[in-house]
mmCIF file of all heavy atoms in Angstrom:
data_model
loop_
_atom_site.group_PDB
_atom_site.id
_atom_site.type_symbol
_atom_site.label_atom_id
_atom_site.label_comp_id
_atom_site.label_asym_id
_atom_site.label_seq_id
_atom_site.Cartn_x
_atom_site.Cartn_y
_atom_site.Cartn_z
ATOM 1 N N ASN A 1 -4.601 15.175 19.467
ATOM 2 C CA ASN A 1 -3.233 15.456 19.044
ATOM 3 C C ASN A 1 -3.004 15.245 17.544
ATOM 4 O O ASN A 1 -2.122 15.872 16.957
ATOM 5 C CB ASN A 1 -2.252 14.574 19.815
ATOM 6 C CG ASN A 1 -2.233 14.899 21.294
ATOM 7 O OD1 ASN A 1 -2.266 16.052 21.693
ATOM 8 N ND2 ASN A 1 -2.195 13.871 22.128
ATOM 9 N N TYR A 2 -3.803 14.353 16.934
ATOM 10 C CA TYR A 2 -3.585 14.022 15.524
ATOM 11 C C TYR A 2 -4.909 13.977 14.761
ATOM 12 O O TYR A 2 -5.936 13.581 15.310
ATOM 13 C CB TYR A 2 -2.882 12.654 15.386
ATOM 14 C CG TYR A 2 -1.513 12.615 16.027
ATOM 15 C CD1 TYR A 2 -1.343 12.115 17.320
ATOM 16 C CD2 TYR A 2 -0.386 13.082 15.349
ATOM 17 C CE1 TYR A 2 -0.090 12.088 17.924
ATOM 18 C CE2 TYR A 2 0.869 13.049 15.941
ATOM 19 C CZ TYR A 2 1.010 12.560 17.226
ATOM 20 O OH TYR A 2 2.252 12.529 17.808
ATOM 21 N N ARG A 3 -4.844 14.382 13.493
ATOM 22 C CA ARG A 3 -5.990 14.280 12.600
ATOM 23 C C ARG A 3 -5.774 13.053 11.706
ATOM 24 O O ARG A 3 -4.782 12.973 10.984
ATOM 25 C CB ARG A 3 -6.127 15.552 11.746
ATOM 26 C CG ARG A 3 -7.300 15.530 10.791
ATOM 27 C CD ARG A 3 -7.354 16.777 9.935
ATOM 28 N NE ARG A 3 -7.649 17.963 10.712
ATOM 29 C CZ ARG A 3 -6.767 18.896 11.028
ATOM 30 N NH1 ARG A 3 -5.505 18.775 10.640
ATOM 31 N NH2 ARG A 3 -7.115 19.951 11.743
ATOM 32 N N ILE A 4 -6.686 12.112 11.762
ATOM 33 C CA ILE A 4 -6.550 10.871 10.999
ATOM 34 C C ILE A 4 -7.606 10.846 9.898
ATOM 35 O O ILE A 4 -8.799 10.985 10.171
ATOM 36 C CB ILE A 4 -6.704 9.635 11.917
ATOM 37 C CG1 ILE A 4 -5.650 9.679 13.030
ATOM 38 C CG2 ILE A 4 -6.583 8.354 11.115
ATOM 39 C CD1 ILE A 4 -5.810 8.606 14.078
ATOM 40 N N THR A 5 -7.164 10.674 8.654
ATOM 41 C CA THR A 5 -8.078 10.593 7.511
ATOM 42 C C THR A 5 -7.901 9.251 6.809
ATOM 43 O O THR A 5 -6.784 8.718 6.736
ATOM 44 C CB THR A 5 -7.835 11.731 6.512
ATOM 45 O OG1 THR A 5 -6.476 11.669 6.024
ATOM 46 C CG2 THR A 5 -8.058 13.091 7.172
ATOM 47 N N ARG A 6 -9.004 8.715 6.280
ATOM 48 C CA ARG A 6 -8.971 7.441 5.555
ATOM 49 C C ARG A 6 -9.702 7.594 4.224
ATOM 50 O O ARG A 6 -10.817 8.089 4.186
ATOM 51 C CB ARG A 6 -9.617 6.323 6.383
ATOM 52 C CG ARG A 6 -8.854 5.985 7.657
ATOM 53 C CD ARG A 6 -9.529 4.857 8.429
ATOM 54 N NE ARG A 6 -8.788 4.507 9.643
ATOM 55 C CZ ARG A 6 -8.961 5.101 10.815
ATOM 56 N NH1 ARG A 6 -9.853 6.086 10.941
ATOM 57 N NH2 ARG A 6 -8.241 4.721 11.867
ATOM 58 N N ASP A 7 -9.054 7.165 3.150
ATOM 59 C CA ASP A 7 -9.632 7.202 1.804
ATOM 60 C C ASP A 7 -9.492 5.827 1.173
ATOM 61 O O ASP A 7 -8.410 5.213 1.232
ATOM 62 C CB ASP A 7 -8.927 8.247 0.932
ATOM 63 C CG ASP A 7 -9.020 9.651 1.517
ATOM 64 O OD1 ASP A 7 -10.148 10.135 1.694
ATOM 65 O OD2 ASP A 7 -7.959 10.249 1.807
ATOM 66 N N THR A 8 -10.568 5.358 0.563
ATOM 67 C CA THR A 8 -10.558 4.053 -0.105
ATOM 68 C C THR A 8 -10.543 4.271 -1.614
ATOM 69 O O THR A 8 -11.386 4.988 -2.155
ATOM 70 C CB THR A 8 -11.779 3.215 0.296
ATOM 71 O OG1 THR A 8 -11.763 3.032 1.720
ATOM 72 C CG2 THR A 8 -11.752 1.860 -0.379
ATOM 73 N N ILE A 9 -9.563 3.638 -2.298
ATOM 74 C CA ILE A 9 -9.356 3.818 -3.733
ATOM 75 C C ILE A 9 -9.215 2.449 -4.394
ATOM 76 O O ILE A 9 -8.618 1.530 -3.820
ATOM 77 C CB ILE A 9 -8.092 4.663 -4.006
ATOM 78 C CG1 ILE A 9 -8.205 6.020 -3.298
ATOM 79 C CG2 ILE A 9 -7.858 4.863 -5.498
ATOM 80 C CD1 ILE A 9 -6.946 6.860 -3.394
ATOM 81 N N SER A 10 -9.748 2.334 -5.602
ATOM 82 C CA SER A 10 -9.606 1.091 -6.367
ATOM 83 C C SER A 10 -8.181 0.978 -6.907
ATOM 84 O O SER A 10 -7.597 1.963 -7.372
ATOM 85 C CB SER A 10 -10.590 1.056 -7.538
ATOM 86 O OG SER A 10 -11.919 1.060 -7.075
ATOM 87 N N VAL A 11 -7.637 -0.208 -6.815
ATOM 88 C CA VAL A 11 -6.290 -0.461 -7.342
ATOM 89 C C VAL A 11 -6.359 -1.678 -8.263
ATOM 90 O O VAL A 11 -6.545 -2.812 -7.810
ATOM 91 C CB VAL A 11 -5.281 -0.699 -6.202
ATOM 92 C CG1 VAL A 11 -4.906 0.590 -5.530
ATOM 93 C CG2 VAL A 11 -5.828 -1.667 -5.172
ATOM 94 N N PRO A 12 -6.233 -1.476 -9.567
ATOM 95 C CA PRO A 12 -6.315 -2.603 -10.506
ATOM 96 C C PRO A 12 -5.032 -3.440 -10.495
ATOM 97 O O PRO A 12 -3.993 -3.030 -9.956
ATOM 98 C CB PRO A 12 -6.491 -1.896 -11.854
ATOM 99 C CG PRO A 12 -5.825 -0.574 -11.666
ATOM 100 C CD PRO A 12 -6.049 -0.191 -10.237
ATOM 101 N N ASP A 13 -5.123 -4.574 -11.072
ATOM 102 C CA ASP A 13 -3.966 -5.462 -11.277
ATOM 103 C C ASP A 13 -3.295 -5.867 -9.967
ATOM 104 O O ASP A 13 -2.063 -5.892 -9.863
ATOM 105 C CB ASP A 13 -2.931 -4.801 -12.203
ATOM 106 C CG ASP A 13 -3.529 -4.410 -13.546
ATOM 107 O OD1 ASP A 13 -4.395 -5.164 -14.031
ATOM 108 O OD2 ASP A 13 -3.144 -3.357 -14.089
ATOM 109 N N VAL A 14 -4.101 -6.163 -8.948
ATOM 110 C CA VAL A 14 -3.534 -6.737 -7.728
ATOM 111 C C VAL A 14 -4.190 -8.091 -7.487
ATOM 112 O O VAL A 14 -5.368 -8.298 -7.805
ATOM 113 C CB VAL A 14 -3.742 -5.827 -6.501
ATOM 114 C CG1 VAL A 14 -2.981 -4.530 -6.662
ATOM 115 C CG2 VAL A 14 -5.205 -5.572 -6.237
ATOM 116 N N SER A 15 -3.412 -8.985 -6.957
ATOM 117 C CA SER A 15 -3.920 -10.323 -6.670
ATOM 118 C C SER A 15 -3.089 -10.923 -5.551
ATOM 119 O O SER A 15 -2.074 -10.344 -5.134
ATOM 120 C CB SER A 15 -3.838 -11.210 -7.919
ATOM 121 O OG SER A 15 -2.488 -11.377 -8.310
ATOM 122 N N ARG A 16 -3.518 -12.079 -5.095
ATOM 123 C CA ARG A 16 -2.763 -12.728 -4.027
ATOM 124 C C ARG A 16 -1.376 -13.130 -4.523
ATOM 125 O O ARG A 16 -0.416 -13.122 -3.752
ATOM 126 C CB ARG A 16 -3.529 -13.948 -3.526
ATOM 127 C CG ARG A 16 -4.894 -13.609 -2.932
ATOM 128 C CD ARG A 16 -5.509 -14.795 -2.227
ATOM 129 N NE ARG A 16 -6.845 -14.467 -1.689
ATOM 130 C CZ ARG A 16 -7.461 -15.171 -0.755
ATOM 131 N NH1 ARG A 16 -6.882 -16.250 -0.241
ATOM 132 N NH2 ARG A 16 -8.661 -14.800 -0.326
ATOM 133 N N GLU A 17 -1.300 -13.468 -5.806
ATOM 134 C CA GLU A 17 -0.010 -13.852 -6.358
ATOM 135 C C GLU A 17 0.915 -12.655 -6.508
ATOM 136 O O GLU A 17 2.107 -12.721 -6.187
ATOM 137 C CB GLU A 17 -0.201 -14.525 -7.720
ATOM 138 C CG GLU A 17 -0.883 -15.878 -7.687
ATOM 139 C CD GLU A 17 -2.381 -15.771 -7.387
ATOM 140 O OE1 GLU A 17 -2.974 -14.678 -7.622
ATOM 141 O OE2 GLU A 17 -2.949 -16.760 -6.891
ATOM 142 N N SER A 18 0.353 -11.497 -6.962
ATOM 143 C CA SER A 18 1.203 -10.318 -7.165
ATOM 144 C C SER A 18 1.737 -9.775 -5.847
ATOM 145 O O SER A 18 2.761 -9.083 -5.815
ATOM 146 C CB SER A 18 0.420 -9.234 -7.908
ATOM 147 O OG SER A 18 -0.657 -8.750 -7.102
ATOM 148 N N ALA A 19 1.047 -10.071 -4.759
ATOM 149 C CA ALA A 19 1.480 -9.565 -3.456
ATOM 150 C C ALA A 19 2.782 -10.194 -2.996
ATOM 151 O O ALA A 19 3.434 -9.680 -2.075
ATOM 152 C CB ALA A 19 0.393 -9.793 -2.413
ATOM 153 N N THR A 20 3.163 -11.295 -3.634
ATOM 154 C CA THR A 20 4.424 -11.943 -3.251
ATOM 155 C C THR A 20 5.620 -11.337 -3.974
ATOM 156 O O THR A 20 6.759 -11.677 -3.667
ATOM 157 C CB THR A 20 4.347 -13.451 -3.567
ATOM 158 O OG1 THR A 20 4.121 -13.629 -4.979
ATOM 159 C CG2 THR A 20 3.211 -14.106 -2.801
ATOM 160 N N SER A 21 5.361 -10.430 -4.902
ATOM 161 C CA SER A 21 6.446 -9.809 -5.660
ATOM 162 C C SER A 21 7.266 -8.895 -4.764
ATOM 163 O O SER A 21 6.697 -8.177 -3.923
ATOM 164 C CB SER A 21 5.869 -9.025 -6.835
ATOM 165 O OG SER A 21 6.885 -8.277 -7.468
ATOM 166 N N PRO A 22 8.597 -8.864 -4.928
ATOM 167 C CA PRO A 22 9.447 -8.009 -4.080
ATOM 168 C C PRO A 22 9.144 -6.520 -4.221
ATOM 169 O O PRO A 22 9.362 -5.751 -3.275
ATOM 170 C CB PRO A 22 10.872 -8.330 -4.565
ATOM 171 C CG PRO A 22 10.760 -9.678 -5.196
ATOM 172 C CD PRO A 22 9.395 -9.735 -5.825
ATOM 173 N N ASP A 23 8.667 -6.110 -5.402
ATOM 174 C CA ASP A 23 8.406 -4.689 -5.613
ATOM 175 C C ASP A 23 6.921 -4.351 -5.472
ATOM 176 O O ASP A 23 6.472 -3.299 -5.930
ATOM 177 C CB ASP A 23 8.905 -4.260 -6.990
ATOM 178 C CG ASP A 23 8.171 -4.974 -8.119
ATOM 179 O OD1 ASP A 23 7.520 -6.016 -7.857
ATOM 180 O OD2 ASP A 23 8.231 -4.489 -9.263
ATOM 181 N N PHE A 24 6.156 -5.226 -4.819
ATOM 182 C CA PHE A 24 4.707 -5.003 -4.683
ATOM 183 C C PHE A 24 4.412 -3.683 -3.952
ATOM 184 O O PHE A 24 3.590 -2.882 -4.400
ATOM 185 C CB PHE A 24 4.077 -6.182 -3.919
ATOM 186 C CG PHE A 24 2.620 -5.976 -3.604
ATOM 187 C CD1 PHE A 24 1.643 -6.144 -4.574
ATOM 188 C CD2 PHE A 24 2.210 -5.609 -2.312
ATOM 189 C CE1 PHE A 24 0.295 -5.960 -4.284
ATOM 190 C CE2 PHE A 24 0.861 -5.418 -2.015
ATOM 191 C CZ PHE A 24 -0.087 -5.600 -3.001
ATOM 192 N N ALA A 25 5.084 -3.463 -2.840
ATOM 193 C CA ALA A 25 4.820 -2.258 -2.049
ATOM 194 C C ALA A 25 5.154 -0.995 -2.845
ATOM 195 O O ALA A 25 4.407 -0.015 -2.817
ATOM 196 C CB ALA A 25 5.623 -2.298 -0.754
ATOM 197 N N GLN A 26 6.301 -1.008 -3.565
ATOM 198 C CA GLN A 26 6.680 0.159 -4.361
ATOM 199 C C GLN A 26 5.660 0.424 -5.465
ATOM 200 O O GLN A 26 5.312 1.587 -5.745
ATOM 201 C CB GLN A 26 8.068 -0.043 -4.970
ATOM 202 C CG GLN A 26 9.226 0.115 -4.001
ATOM 203 C CD GLN A 26 9.430 -1.118 -3.120
ATOM 204 O OE1 GLN A 26 8.773 -2.153 -3.322
ATOM 205 N NE2 GLN A 26 10.319 -0.993 -2.149
ATOM 206 N N ARG A 27 5.151 -0.627 -6.112
ATOM 207 C CA ARG A 27 4.161 -0.452 -7.173
ATOM 208 C C ARG A 27 2.850 0.103 -6.627
ATOM 209 O O ARG A 27 2.204 0.938 -7.254
ATOM 210 C CB ARG A 27 3.922 -1.784 -7.893
ATOM 211 C CG ARG A 27 5.078 -2.209 -8.790
ATOM 212 C CD ARG A 27 4.743 -3.367 -9.695
ATOM 213 N NE ARG A 27 4.541 -4.613 -8.960
ATOM 214 C CZ ARG A 27 3.361 -5.174 -8.748
ATOM 215 N NH1 ARG A 27 2.246 -4.611 -9.195
ATOM 216 N NH2 ARG A 27 3.268 -6.325 -8.079
ATOM 217 N N ILE A 28 2.453 -0.361 -5.440
ATOM 218 C CA ILE A 28 1.226 0.149 -4.817
ATOM 219 C C ILE A 28 1.377 1.635 -4.497
ATOM 220 O O ILE A 28 0.496 2.450 -4.793
ATOM 221 C CB ILE A 28 0.903 -0.641 -3.536
ATOM 222 C CG1 ILE A 28 0.425 -2.065 -3.886
ATOM 223 C CG2 ILE A 28 -0.162 0.089 -2.708
ATOM 224 C CD1 ILE A 28 -0.895 -2.108 -4.628
ATOM 225 N N ALA A 29 2.515 1.999 -3.912
ATOM 226 C CA ALA A 29 2.752 3.402 -3.553
ATOM 227 C C ALA A 29 2.766 4.289 -4.793
ATOM 228 O O ALA A 29 2.179 5.374 -4.807
ATOM 229 C CB ALA A 29 4.063 3.538 -2.785
ATOM 230 N N ALA A 30 3.438 3.824 -5.846
ATOM 231 C CA ALA A 30 3.502 4.609 -7.082
ATOM 232 C C ALA A 30 2.134 4.705 -7.745
ATOM 233 O O ALA A 30 1.740 5.771 -8.236
ATOM 234 C CB ALA A 30 4.514 3.977 -8.032
ATOM 235 N N GLY A 31 1.380 3.611 -7.743
ATOM 236 C CA GLY A 31 0.061 3.614 -8.365
ATOM 237 C C GLY A 31 -0.931 4.525 -7.654
ATOM 238 O O GLY A 31 -1.840 5.079 -8.279
ATOM 239 N N LEU A 32 -0.753 4.702 -6.370
ATOM 240 C CA LEU A 32 -1.640 5.577 -5.599
ATOM 241 C C LEU A 32 -1.128 7.016 -5.533
ATOM 242 O O LEU A 32 -1.757 7.877 -4.911
ATOM 243 C CB LEU A 32 -1.796 5.029 -4.169
ATOM 244 C CG LEU A 32 -2.493 3.673 -4.046
ATOM 245 C CD1 LEU A 32 -2.442 3.185 -2.597
ATOM 246 C CD2 LEU A 32 -3.937 3.761 -4.517
ATOM 247 N N GLY A 33 0.005 7.263 -6.178
ATOM 248 C CA GLY A 33 0.558 8.621 -6.164
ATOM 249 C C GLY A 33 1.199 9.001 -4.859
ATOM 250 O O GLY A 33 1.299 10.190 -4.533
ATOM 251 N N LEU A 34 1.616 8.005 -4.098
ATOM 252 C CA LEU A 34 2.277 8.251 -2.819
ATOM 253 C C LEU A 34 3.772 8.070 -3.012
ATOM 254 O O LEU A 34 4.322 6.997 -2.793
ATOM 255 C CB LEU A 34 1.744 7.290 -1.745
ATOM 256 C CG LEU A 34 0.233 7.317 -1.519
ATOM 257 C CD1 LEU A 34 -0.176 6.214 -0.546
ATOM 258 C CD2 LEU A 34 -0.218 8.672 -0.993
ATOM 259 N N GLY A 35 4.415 9.120 -3.435
ATOM 260 C CA GLY A 35 5.839 9.028 -3.741
ATOM 261 C C GLY A 35 6.711 9.128 -2.520
ATOM 262 O O GLY A 35 7.627 9.949 -2.476
ATOM 263 N N THR A 36 6.426 8.343 -1.529
ATOM 264 C CA THR A 36 7.219 8.366 -0.300
ATOM 265 C C THR A 36 7.922 7.036 -0.106
ATOM 266 O O THR A 36 7.579 6.026 -0.740
ATOM 267 C CB THR A 36 6.336 8.650 0.930
ATOM 268 O OG1 THR A 36 5.293 7.668 0.997
ATOM 269 C CG2 THR A 36 5.702 10.041 0.835
ATOM 270 N N GLU A 37 8.887 7.046 0.765
ATOM 271 C CA GLU A 37 9.680 5.851 1.017
ATOM 272 C C GLU A 37 8.859 4.768 1.699
ATOM 273 O O GLU A 37 8.097 5.028 2.624
ATOM 274 C CB GLU A 37 10.865 6.227 1.904
ATOM 275 C CG GLU A 37 11.745 5.038 2.277
ATOM 276 C CD GLU A 37 12.828 5.431 3.259
ATOM 277 O OE1 GLU A 37 12.942 6.634 3.562
ATOM 278 O OE2 GLU A 37 13.536 4.518 3.731
ATOM 279 N N VAL A 38 8.996 3.540 1.189
ATOM 280 C CA VAL A 38 8.332 2.394 1.801
ATOM 281 C C VAL A 38 9.160 1.932 2.990
ATOM 282 O O VAL A 38 10.338 1.609 2.860
ATOM 283 C CB VAL A 38 8.160 1.240 0.792
ATOM 284 C CG1 VAL A 38 7.550 0.021 1.479
ATOM 285 C CG2 VAL A 38 7.286 1.677 -0.379
ATOM 286 N N ARG A 39 8.515 1.910 4.154
ATOM 287 C CA ARG A 39 9.241 1.541 5.367
ATOM 288 C C ARG A 39 9.057 0.079 5.751
ATOM 289 O O ARG A 39 9.811 -0.457 6.548
ATOM 290 C CB ARG A 39 8.796 2.437 6.518
ATOM 291 C CG ARG A 39 9.210 3.888 6.337
ATOM 292 C CD ARG A 39 8.964 4.695 7.590
ATOM 293 N NE ARG A 39 9.556 6.021 7.494
ATOM 294 C CZ ARG A 39 9.518 6.926 8.468
ATOM 295 N NH1 ARG A 39 8.897 6.631 9.603
ATOM 296 N NH2 ARG A 39 10.085 8.102 8.308
ATOM 297 N N GLY A 40 8.026 -0.561 5.208
ATOM 298 C CA GLY A 40 7.819 -1.966 5.524
ATOM 299 C C GLY A 40 6.460 -2.453 5.059
ATOM 300 O O GLY A 40 5.601 -1.658 4.644
ATOM 301 N N THR A 41 6.267 -3.747 5.134
ATOM 302 C CA THR A 41 4.984 -4.364 4.781
ATOM 303 C C THR A 41 4.645 -5.425 5.817
ATOM 304 O O THR A 41 5.524 -5.916 6.542
ATOM 305 C CB THR A 41 5.030 -5.013 3.388
ATOM 306 O OG1 THR A 41 6.022 -6.050 3.383
ATOM 307 C CG2 THR A 41 5.359 -3.993 2.312
ATOM 308 N N PHE A 42 3.339 -5.753 5.863
ATOM 309 C CA PHE A 42 2.894 -6.798 6.784
ATOM 310 C C PHE A 42 1.720 -7.530 6.133
ATOM 311 O O PHE A 42 0.735 -6.906 5.729
ATOM 312 C CB PHE A 42 2.463 -6.210 8.119
ATOM 313 C CG PHE A 42 1.922 -7.218 9.084
ATOM 314 C CD1 PHE A 42 2.758 -8.163 9.665
ATOM 315 C CD2 PHE A 42 0.569 -7.241 9.407
ATOM 316 C CE1 PHE A 42 2.254 -9.103 10.561
ATOM 317 C CE2 PHE A 42 0.060 -8.180 10.285
ATOM 318 C CZ PHE A 42 0.905 -9.121 10.876
ATOM 319 N N ARG A 43 1.841 -8.854 6.052
ATOM 320 C CA ARG A 43 0.776 -9.669 5.463
ATOM 321 C C ARG A 43 -0.205 -10.027 6.571
ATOM 322 O O ARG A 43 0.041 -10.915 7.399
ATOM 323 C CB ARG A 43 1.369 -10.934 4.825
ATOM 324 C CG ARG A 43 0.395 -11.737 3.956
ATOM 325 C CD ARG A 43 0.119 -11.016 2.660
ATOM 326 N NE ARG A 43 -0.775 -11.786 1.775
ATOM 327 C CZ ARG A 43 -0.364 -12.434 0.699
ATOM 328 N NH1 ARG A 43 0.940 -12.425 0.356
ATOM 329 N NH2 ARG A 43 -1.218 -13.083 -0.069
ATOM 330 N N VAL A 44 -1.320 -9.297 6.624
ATOM 331 C CA VAL A 44 -2.309 -9.520 7.667
ATOM 332 C C VAL A 44 -2.924 -10.901 7.542
ATOM 333 O O VAL A 44 -3.043 -11.656 8.514
ATOM 334 C CB VAL A 44 -3.410 -8.441 7.603
ATOM 335 C CG1 VAL A 44 -4.451 -8.667 8.700
ATOM 336 C CG2 VAL A 44 -2.804 -7.046 7.726
#
């Protein structure tokens, strides 16, 4: 029913400390060129 693709990309300037920033998810999405709405995050 669905086609699932996975791509691994390097993302500079990330750390355990930066992950606590409120805009971390938005910065990750923008840095990867994913200009879509962030629906949520989960700290695995």
Side-chain angles (χ1 to χ4, degrees):
N1 294 319
Y2 298 96
R3 180 182 293 106
I4 302 173
T5 59
R6 294 181 179 87
D7 301 300
T8 301
I9 303 174
S10 297
V11 284
D13 303 324
V14 295
S15 63
R16 298 190 182 198
E17 292 73 22
S18 66
T20 60
S21 172
D23 63 343
F24 174 77
Q26 285 79 7
R27 287 191 292 106
I28 289 294
L32 295 174
L34 304 174
T36 57
E37 178 185 355
V38 176
R39 293 190 171 182
T41 61
F42 177 70
R43 191 72 178 255
V44 180

